Amino acid sequence: MAEPGGAGAAGGGGSGGQQQGSPAAGGVAAGRPARSAAESPGGPGSARTAGKKAQLRAAPRAKKLEKLGVYSSCKAEESCKCNGWKNPNPPPTPPRAELQQAVVSLAEPCRSCSHALAAHVSHLENVSEEEMNRLLGIVLDVEYLFTCVHKEEDADTKQVYFYLFKLLRKCILQMGKPVVEGSLESPPFEKPSIEQGVNNFVQYKFSHLPSKERQTIVELAKMFLNRINYWHLETPSQRRLRSPNDDIAGYKVNYTRWLCYCNVPQFCDSLPRYETTQVFGRTLLRSVFTVMRRQLLEQARQEKDKLPQEKRTLILTHFPKFLSMLEEEVYSQNSPIWDQDFMVSSSRTGQLGIQTVISPPPVARSVSYSASPSSLEQPNSGNMSPACKVSSAIDPNLGEKRKNNEPYSMEDSKRPRVVGDIPIELINEVMSTITDPAAMLGPETNFLSAHSARDEAARLEERRGVIEFHVVGNSLNQKPNKKIMMWLVGLQNVFSHQLPRMPKEYITRLVFDPKHKTLALIKDGRVIGGICFRMFPSQGFTEIVFCAVTSNEQVKGYGTHLMNHLKEYHIKHNILNFLTYADEYAIGYFKKQGFSKDIKVPKAKYVGYIKDYEGATLMGCELNPRIPYTEFSVIIKKQKEIIKKLIERKQAQIRKVYPGLSCFKDGVRQIPIESIPGIILM
């Protein structure tokens, strides 16, 4: 085999490879055969290998020569083709602990070619102890890979193991250093790397936060990067079975690179090791992010009782929100965090002064053997393909989870200061008094006050991963995704139950019409609400057709949060007007969401495009692209707190008693009135 990961398709890949998301310590998903401990990077097998290496390096030189002779070609005669010394008196298999193995003499003949051991190791006479120890390490890695080749059932993984086995075997014969050759190229494979992209994301989204909150984000970023470095990719054959429409050839190349440069070097330290986050970029991250996010949140919820309180708040409250915002940037086509010149442009603004998450460039290094990270520092086992991210060939956003819209750039937020503006130093001082250091995006409590915003409870549930929002739709050009179809059926049922005056056939026709999309609200895997709409990009508006939340989930803020997500979805697609015909029971809801009877869209734009309903009122809503709607109530709440604190400070100054004026004793006849302490001019 010339190189790992050839172009040919894997033949009948078995189930021996680790599933995507399985822990580094060898955790196995239900319903699959377990890999042996010897095959699990970072597990007991690799720890035993490390112990063997340390024991062998401390052995006498004669014992080392015997071990290396097994992998060294005979040099007694040019015609001798023996490629390794074979002990004429091999030890019993398995070796018996009570028998002390004697050191073999250099004069001992080879069982294969009859030449002495010395003829096989003559090239090692003047080799330093350090170089000999390096070669011994390669020997044990070769033996370890030999075991992996025979136990691995997946064809693609077995092929890579065998390639690396032959590569290290050759390095012993030639006393060289292992270099992976072929079409895989050398790391890094994509720029910017995952690590740099996450660092850019932290600077792009959170540079405005106070230092304590910003440090919380940095800790989340480090946690996320660490989990990627210990994440196990699913094999190409598994991915082909789950997602036959994916780019399997491209994934296979990245999988092979990951095995050669990141995974296998974890338990074969004679190979140069690179961190996954430092040598791979957006392409690999997209292939694992959806599954990884879901599995991490599930594991966190399952193990929440084992976490200390401070870790519990960080992982259960802030981590889901962090992952949702990062997911938006990972799958967005226009995210600036993946630009090569991101750091250059941000340094010109001089306002993104956050510390780098992990700054060193990707450098190969040897890894010492140690215990695996704790369960919360590793990914959980997963079995879902990221292919379900997209549900329609018409629009790549169908079936895509809704995330908060990206904020405006620093340039957009700049504006000339107005005379009388409150100094920024005072604002920062007030912010430090109203912001809970344990919170990520402002003051939040464990309970909701009577004055909380309508969508606050729903927003907190989304942040904890209890509810999710997905834009879904039917397609005539692509094989239906089972999960998407189940959601569409669930939406049809919700609309039919909550809108009894609408014919069920009419609801079904529109929900499954490829021209219509629906923003679905998912809780515990089932649909509990949604907004069905049709976009008219050429006319500059969208018609809202159905809007409903199931009766037992109402009065929880879900309707408001649904509409806010829909607004941000349309701002992202540059459509800034909603139109809808509201019946008498829905007018109140739409008024709360910013709709009015004053239609901003010219009549010529929508006449003939939207459906006219008898007895309903046409209402419209104009969107402001500068408003982050899903966080709008939080921002307003924070602004109110700032104003309240500023008023309290001003009142405290007014109540202050100043001493009388003493300047007149010095002969001063008059002074400007504004110079008198305590006088406030209106």
Side-chain angles (χ1 to χ4, degrees):
M1 180 174 58
E3 62 183 77
S15 58
Q18 278 184 299
Q19 273 194 326
Q20 177 170 330
S22 56
V28 180
R32 300 183 63 255
R35 295 181 76 178
S36 68
E39 295 176 83
S40 300
S46 57
R48 284 197 297 271
T49 304
K52 287 181 181 178
K53 288 184 179 181
Q55 185 178 1
L56 190 56
R57 286 164 180 162
R61 187 176 180 87
K63 186 67 177 177
K64 295 180 180 180
L65 289 174
E66 176 191 347
K67 190 71 173 178
L68 290 171
V70 175
Y71 296 90
S72 301
S73 59
C74 181
K75 300 166 185 63
E77 302 173 359
E78 290 187 7
S79 59
C80 184
K81 303 299 182 183
C82 180
N83 62 356
W85 181 81
K86 297 174 181 60
N87 194 337
N89 303 304
T93 304
R96 294 165 57 184
E98 67 271 13
L99 294 179
Q100 184 69 31
Q101 296 184 19
V103 177
V104 177
S105 168
L106 290 176
E108 195 75 34
C110 172
R111 180 160 42 93
S112 177
C113 68
S114 300
H115 294 125
L117 171 61
H120 289 77
V121 296
S122 58
H123 63 296
L124 299 174
E125 290 180 3
N126 300 320
V127 170
S128 66
E129 199 71 18
E130 181 182 358
E131 176 64 11
M132 188 170 290
N133 286 339
R134 184 185 74 85
L135 293 173
L136 286 169
I138 298 178
V139 165
L140 289 182
D141 286 345
V142 165
E143 294 175 352
Y144 193 90
L145 283 170
F146 181 80
T147 303
C148 292
V149 168
H150 283 272
K151 291 188 175 182
E152 182 60 57
E153 297 178 17
D154 177 73
D156 296 310
T157 308
K158 183 190 285 283
Q159 186 182 26
V160 177
Y161 284 165
F162 186 58
Y163 167 80
L164 294 175
F165 166 80
K166 294 202 303 180
L167 174 66
L168 293 182
R169 184 79 172 78
K170 183 179 178 182
C171 288
I172 300 172
L173 289 171
Q174 300 179 353
M175 297 178 62
K177 294 185 177 181
V179 178
V180 177
E181 299 174 342
S183 60
L184 292 182
E185 303 176 352
S186 299
F189 306 111
E190 189 175 2
K191 292 183 179 181
S193 65
I194 296 173
E195 180 182 284
Q196 187 60 58
V198 172
N199 181 51
N200 293 348
F201 165 73
V202 172
Q203 297 189 53
Y204 176 53
K205 290 286 190 179
F206 304 105
S207 61
H208 64 285
L209 294 180
S211 58
K212 288 185 179 180
E213 296 181 14
R214 195 163 64 240
Q215 186 58 36
T216 299
I217 303 300
V218 171
E219 291 303 317
L220 292 174
K222 289 180 178 179
M223 183 192 309
F224 175 74
L225 292 172
N226 182 61
R227 294 184 183 191
I228 293 180
N229 287 329
Y230 287 96
W231 193 260
H232 284 268
L233 304 186
E234 61 181 345
T235 65
S237 56
Q238 290 171 335
R239 192 175 184 86
R240 185 183 296 108
L241 291 174
R242 292 179 187 157
S243 309
N245 296 326
D246 281 5
D247 178 17
I248 302 300
Y251 180 81
K252 184 176 179 180
V253 170
N254 273 336
Y255 176 77
T256 306
R257 289 169 171 170
W258 171 77
L259 278 177
C260 291
Y261 290 102
C262 305
N263 179 253
V264 174
Q266 290 185 39
F267 53 93
C268 293
D269 62 359
S270 57
L271 291 166
R273 184 194 171 193
Y274 296 82
E275 296 287 8
T276 304
T277 56
Q278 293 182 345
V279 297
F280 290 97
R282 187 183 195 180
T283 303
L284 183 73
L285 184 58
R286 280 181 165 181
S287 67
V288 303
F289 190 94
T290 304
V291 179
M292 182 178 177
R293 175 183 179 274
R294 182 175 63 86
Q295 292 298 325
L296 290 180
L297 295 182
E298 284 181 5
Q299 183 185 16
R301 285 194 289 270
Q302 292 171 1
E303 301 186 1
K304 62 182 179 180
D305 295 334
K306 303 177 185 178
L307 298 173
Q309 184 59 43
E310 61 277 7
K311 277 279 187 181
R312 190 180 305 174
T313 302
L314 184 70
I315 293 175
L316 297 182
T317 303
H318 304 325
F319 202 36
K321 179 67 173 178
F322 176 87
L323 292 177
S324 293
M325 297 177 71
L326 179 58
E327 188 176 18
E328 171 78 12
E329 304 303 320
V330 169
Y331 292 101
S332 171
Q333 298 297 327
N334 304 313
S335 174
I337 70 171
W338 303 105
D339 293 343
Q340 289 279 9
D341 58 348
F342 176 87
M343 297 303 294
V344 176
S345 60
S346 63
S347 63
R348 284 199 299 267
T349 67
Q351 299 192 34
L352 300 180
I354 190 171
Q355 69 183 62
T356 304
V357 175
I358 298 179
S359 55
V363 177
R365 58 183 177 85
S366 296
V367 180
S368 59
Y369 292 93
S370 60
S372 302
S374 65
S375 60
L376 274 172
E377 296 302 320
Q378 295 183 30
N380 196 4
S381 56
N383 54 11
M384 180 178 176
S385 170
C388 67
K389 181 82 180 167
V390 178
S391 65
S392 171
I394 296 178
D395 187 341
N397 292 311
L398 294 184
E400 181 174 315
K401 183 177 181 295
R402 274 287 308 132
K403 281 80 57 177
N404 291 337
N405 194 26
E406 53 198 50
Y408 284 84
S409 64
M410 300 301 292
E411 288 78 5
D412 291 336
S413 63
K414 292 178 181 177
R415 63 181 188 277
R417 292 188 59 81
V418 179
V419 176
D421 268 1
I422 300 171
I424 191 64
E425 295 79 9
L426 180 57
I427 294 292
N428 291 335
E429 185 180 348
V430 172
M431 283 289 293
S432 66
T433 65
I434 69 170
T435 304
D436 181 0
M440 186 172 90
L441 292 174
E444 290 178 0
T445 57
N446 293 329
F447 57 91
L448 299 175
S449 68
H451 302 291
S452 297
R454 285 189 300 273
D455 64 334
E456 188 161 352
R459 183 170 51 252
L460 293 177
E461 286 190 11
E462 183 189 14
R463 189 170 295 175
R464 292 194 298 266
V466 177
I467 60 174
E468 294 181 347
F469 297 86
H470 298 263
V471 177
V472 296
N474 198 8
S475 171
L476 299 178
N477 304 323
Q478 187 177 1
K479 184 179 179 180
N481 181 294
K482 183 177 179 181
K483 174 174 283 191
I484 300 302
M485 296 305 292
M486 292 295 293
W487 284 347
L488 290 174
V489 171
L491 287 163
Q492 183 257 349
N493 288 333
V494 170
F495 291 146
S496 297
H497 281 91
Q498 299 304 127
L499 306 171
R501 293 196 293 179
M502 282 286 179
K504 190 172 183 178
E505 296 77 10
Y506 177 68
I507 292 175
T508 303
R509 179 164 61 85
L510 293 190
V511 169
F512 286 90
D513 177 19
K515 296 178 182 178
H516 288 72
K517 302 176 188 176
T518 306
L519 176 60
L521 170 57
I522 311 297
K523 184 175 184 179
D524 298 328
R526 63 185 183 88
V527 176
I528 64 169
I531 300 177
C532 181
F533 60 95
R534 180 175 178 181
M535 303 169 74
F536 295 95
S538 62
Q539 305 304 110
F541 75 92
T542 282
E543 179 192 12
I544 294 177
V545 185
F546 306 125
C547 177
V549 174
T550 188
S551 54
N552 61 332
E553 297 288 355
Q554 291 181 4
V555 201
K556 295 182 179 180
Y558 292 153
T560 297
H561 207 44
L562 257 174
M563 187 62 71
N564 286 339
H565 269 290
L566 187 67
K567 290 175 180 177
E568 292 197 346
Y569 178 84
H570 280 78
I571 289 174
K572 180 180 176 182
H573 289 79
N574 201 30
I575 297 178
L576 303 180
N577 285 282
F578 287 163
L579 291 178
T580 187
Y581 274 97
D583 63 25
E584 56 183 319
Y585 302 106
I587 291 177
Y589 165 79
F590 282 109
K591 281 186 176 180
K592 292 177 183 178
Q593 309 310 319
F595 285 73
S596 72
K597 299 176 185 178
D598 181 17
I599 309 301
K600 302 295 183 182
V601 181
K603 194 170 184 178
K605 287 279 189 180
Y606 64 82
V607 169
Y609 284 88
I610 67 174
K611 292 167 275 293
D612 192 352
Y613 297 92
E614 184 179 351
T617 302
L618 180 63
M619 303 184 72
C621 178
E622 187 175 18
L623 307 182
N624 187 331
R626 299 185 64 85
I627 295 178
Y629 285 96
T630 55
E631 297 294 333
F632 189 53
S633 60
V634 174
I635 296 171
I636 295 299
K637 180 179 179 181
K638 188 175 291 187
Q639 289 176 344
K640 288 180 178 178
E641 290 290 333
I642 293 173
I643 298 300
K644 182 179 177 181
K645 291 293 182 183
L646 290 174
I647 292 174
E648 290 175 358
R649 287 181 173 232
K650 184 62 70 176
Q651 288 175 339
Q653 293 175 3
I654 294 174
R655 295 191 192 101
K656 185 176 180 180
V657 178
Y658 294 89
L661 299 175
S662 59
C663 59
F664 298 109
K665 295 180 181 179
D666 300 328
V668 176
R669 300 294 299 272
Q670 63 180 19
I671 59 174
I673 190 170
E674 61 268 17
S675 66
I676 301 175
I679 296 295
I680 300 178
L681 298 179
M682 302 303 291

